[in-house]
Amino acid sequence: MKSANTFINELKNGELNGRMTEIYGCHADKAQEYADRFVRVIKGFTDTFPENANAQIGLYSAPGRTEIGGNHTDHQYGCVLAASVNLDAIAAAAPNGTDKIRFYSEGYGMIGADLSVLEPVESEKESTLALIRGMAALAIKKGYPVKGFDVYCTSNVLGGSGLSSSAAFETLLGVILNDMYCEGAFDAVEIAKMGQITENQYFGKPSGLMDQSASSVGGVVAIDFGDPENPVVEKINLDLDKEGYALCIIDSKSSHADLTDAYAGIPREMKAVAATFGQTHLRGITKEQLIERTAAIRKVCGDRAFLRSMHFVLDNERAQNEAAALKEGKFDKFLQIVKASGESSYMYLQNISVEGAVDNQAVGVALSLCDVLLDGRGAFRVHGGGFAGTVQAFVPLDMLDYFKTNIENAIAPGCCHVLSIRPVGGAVV
C-alpha cells in the first residue's frame, strides 16, 4: 500500500506498466491505457473520501469471465471451461478506522455496510450491499480482524453480457479483504468459494462456482464439479493472440426479461431424466444408458427433456476434451469442439430462443451471421444461459475488422465486443 500521490506518479511515469502487461496480458504499447484508468480511480477515491485522502491505499482488480465450454453442465455436477477476460472491476481502497465499509461505485453511488451485522439480511437480497456484507462477514467468521474501509470502484464489465459482473465484484472484495486484513491467507479458489457462498446465502442467487473461479483464478480454467463442495480447478495456458485469434462477445440486443421459467426449465427437465435412473443429477449417466432408455424417458419426461439430457452428456465430455486439446497445443481441434458445443446447444439443449418465439429469435440471428461471415473458420456458440443475451465467437485476426463491421451493420453499432483472455485473476496491483 502506498500514498495516492506515490501511486499516481508511478502510474503516470510508466513505472507500473510492467505490472499492467502482467495482469492484462496486453502489449507494452497498451499498458499506459490501463495505468491511466487506475489514476482516475485514485483521484475518484481522494475526491470521494477527502478525510482519508492521505491514507496508504491499495489498488485492486478483478476480471469478468467468459464461459467457453460446457453449456448448462455445471448445475448437473459436470465439467466446464471458462476464462477471465480483459474487462474488469478496479478499485482504490484504504482502511477508515471505523466499523463501517463505505463503497462508492461509479454510476451507482455510495453504499454503506455496518460490520456489526454478519448474517444475511432478507431485505438486502439481490443488492450490492448483500455482496459487500457477505464477503466481509465470511472473512470475519474465518477469524480475521476485518475493520471498516473505504473503496472507490469502477467497472467496464458489461452488464447483462454473460461476463458475470457479480463474480468480478465478489472477487474484487475478496482480494481487498485478503490484502488489507487477512495477510494474504486466502488463495484464489478460496476467494471464489467465498464469492459463491455470498451469492447463494446473502444475495439469494443459487449460482455455481464457475463464474467466481474464472474471475478469481484467471486465465483459462477447467472446472470439474463432480464433488460440488470441492470442485477441481485446473488453470490452462492460452495465448489467443499467438494463436492468431480474437475473442468476440456479440450482444444480440434481446432482452433477458421474463426468462426465469425458460432458464429454470433446463435443470428441471435434466433432473427429471436423472430421476428415472434413481439419481438427483445427470453426472455419471452415459449416452449408452440414455439410448437404452430412450422410450421410457420420452414417455415419462417428454422429448425435450431427453434431448437436453443428451446435450449434457455430450457437452460434459466436450468440455473435458476442449481442455485436453488446449493442454496438447491443438487449437484447431479445440475450435472444432467449441463449434460442436454450439450446435448441440441449438439442436439438443434448445436455449437459442424461447418456446413458440417467431418474431424474436435474436440469438439465432446472431449465430447465423457468425456462421455466414466466418465461413468455416473459427468457432461460435451461444454464450451463457441462452434464450437472450450474447453469442461468443473465436475470430481469426486477419478477418476481425471485416467480421466486426458486418456484425455491427447487421445488428447494432457497438454490439461486437473484442476481448482477450486475461492471464491473471483477482489481483493486487
Side-chain angles (χ1 to χ4, degrees):
M1 300 180 78
K2 303 175 184 178
S3 72
N5 286 336
T6 298
F7 262 132
I8 287 174
N9 288 334
E10 290 179 352
L11 288 161
K12 285 186 172 180
N13 294 335
E15 295 175 48
L16 293 178
N17 280 7
R19 182 61 173 150
M20 297 297 115
T21 60
E22 180 184 351
I23 291 174
Y24 293 99
C26 62
H27 293 295
D29 61 353
K30 296 290 185 182
Q32 193 59 47
E33 294 178 19
Y34 290 104
D36 290 344
R37 189 160 162 255
F38 279 101
V39 171
R40 292 194 296 273
V41 165
I42 294 171
K43 290 180 177 179
F45 179 89
T46 56
D47 289 345
T48 304
F49 306 105
E51 68 278 16
N52 217 359
N54 295 321
Q56 297 288 295
I57 66 172
L59 299 180
Y60 308 93
S61 166
R65 73 97 185 101
T66 181
E67 171 201 285
I68 297 174
N71 194 215
H72 280 279
T73 53
D74 56 333
H75 52 67
Q76 298 301 301
Y77 300 171
C79 297
V80 301
L81 195 68
S84 58
V85 297
N86 60 325
L87 299 179
D88 62 344
I90 65 171
N96 62 22
T98 74
D99 288 325
K100 293 184 178 180
I101 298 171
R102 297 188 297 178
F103 196 105
Y104 185 90
S105 181
E106 284 186 0
Y108 298 94
M110 184 73 74
I111 300 171
D114 189 334
L115 293 174
S116 64
V117 179
L118 300 181
E119 299 305 318
V121 177
E122 188 63 32
S123 62
E124 293 175 2
K125 292 289 178 71
E126 299 187 15
S127 72
T128 303
L129 175 56
L131 300 180
I132 297 170
R133 188 181 306 286
M135 292 300 291
L138 291 175
I140 292 170
K141 290 177 180 180
K142 290 176 181 290
Y144 293 95
V146 175
K147 297 296 182 182
F149 54 94
D150 295 334
V151 183
Y152 187 95
C153 171
T154 186
S155 175
N156 59 10
V157 182
L158 308 166
S161 63
L163 296 176
S164 197
S165 56
S166 61
F169 188 84
E170 292 151 10
T171 298
L172 183 71
L173 284 164
V175 172
I176 292 171
L177 289 160
N178 197 31
D179 180 57
M180 204 174 287
Y181 292 113
C182 305
E183 300 180 347
F186 305 144
D187 64 15
V189 175
E190 184 64 24
I191 289 174
K193 289 180 179 178
M194 291 168 65
Q196 183 198 18
I197 294 170
T198 293
E199 194 148 331
N200 291 172
Q201 297 182 8
Y202 288 79
F203 189 81
K205 179 182 176 183
S207 69
L209 192 62
M210 175 178 68
D211 297 352
Q212 292 83 359
S213 294
S215 178
S216 186
V217 175
V220 178
V221 289
I223 311 171
D224 186 337
F225 291 103
D227 178 356
E229 298 300 319
N230 297 285
V232 178
V233 181
E234 179 184 7
K235 188 166 183 173
I236 298 171
N237 294 321
L238 172 61
D239 187 333
L240 272 181
D241 198 50
K242 285 185 178 179
E243 297 291 350
Y245 279 82
L247 170 65
C248 294
I249 299 296
I250 300 138
D251 183 353
S252 69
K253 298 300 180 181
S254 52
S255 172
H256 284 86
D258 300 322
L259 292 177
T260 301
D261 288 344
Y263 292 132
I266 294 176
R268 181 174 64 244
E269 291 176 19
M270 289 182 177
K271 289 179 180 180
V273 172
T276 68
F277 290 90
Q279 297 191 31
T280 58
H281 295 80
L282 286 173
R283 181 67 181 269
I285 296 171
T286 67
K287 58 188 175 186
E288 288 80 14
Q289 288 175 304
L290 287 177
I291 292 169
E292 183 180 343
R293 300 194 61 180
T294 299
I297 292 169
R298 294 177 67 189
K299 182 177 180 180
V300 174
C301 307
D303 288 356
R304 190 174 66 179
F306 171 83
L307 292 167
R308 285 176 163 174
S309 297
M310 184 63 79
H311 164 83
F312 166 81
V313 170
L314 298 176
D315 224 41
N316 184 57
E317 185 177 331
R318 287 189 197 98
Q320 297 171 70
N321 291 340
E322 286 172 352
L326 291 179
K327 287 190 286 186
E328 294 166 5
K330 298 178 179 178
F331 193 72
D332 286 343
K333 181 179 180 181
F334 161 78
L335 291 175
Q336 292 172 6
I337 303 170
V338 170
K339 192 170 182 180
S341 174
E343 291 169 349
S344 180
S345 292
Y346 213 143
M347 185 165 61
Y348 295 161
L349 186 60
Q350 300 179 38
N351 67 333
I352 306 306
S353 60
V354 296
E355 184 178 359
V358 175
D359 295 329
N360 185 5
Q361 297 191 21
V363 174
V365 169
L367 289 169
S368 73
L369 292 168
C370 290
D371 189 20
V372 173
L373 293 171
L374 289 172
D375 193 22
R377 300 182 66 189
F380 57 95
R381 67 197 284 274
V382 64
H383 185 238
F387 300 109
T390 56
V391 166
Q392 175 190 77
F394 291 91
V395 181
L397 292 176
D398 63 10
M399 65 185 308
L400 180 58
D401 289 343
Y402 160 82
F403 179 85
K404 186 175 190 298
T405 298
N406 281 279
I407 282 282
E408 294 191 344
N409 284 342
I411 297 177
C415 73
C416 182
H417 305 280
V418 182
L419 309 179
S420 60
I421 292 175
R422 164 173 154 157
V424 173
V428 179
V429 174

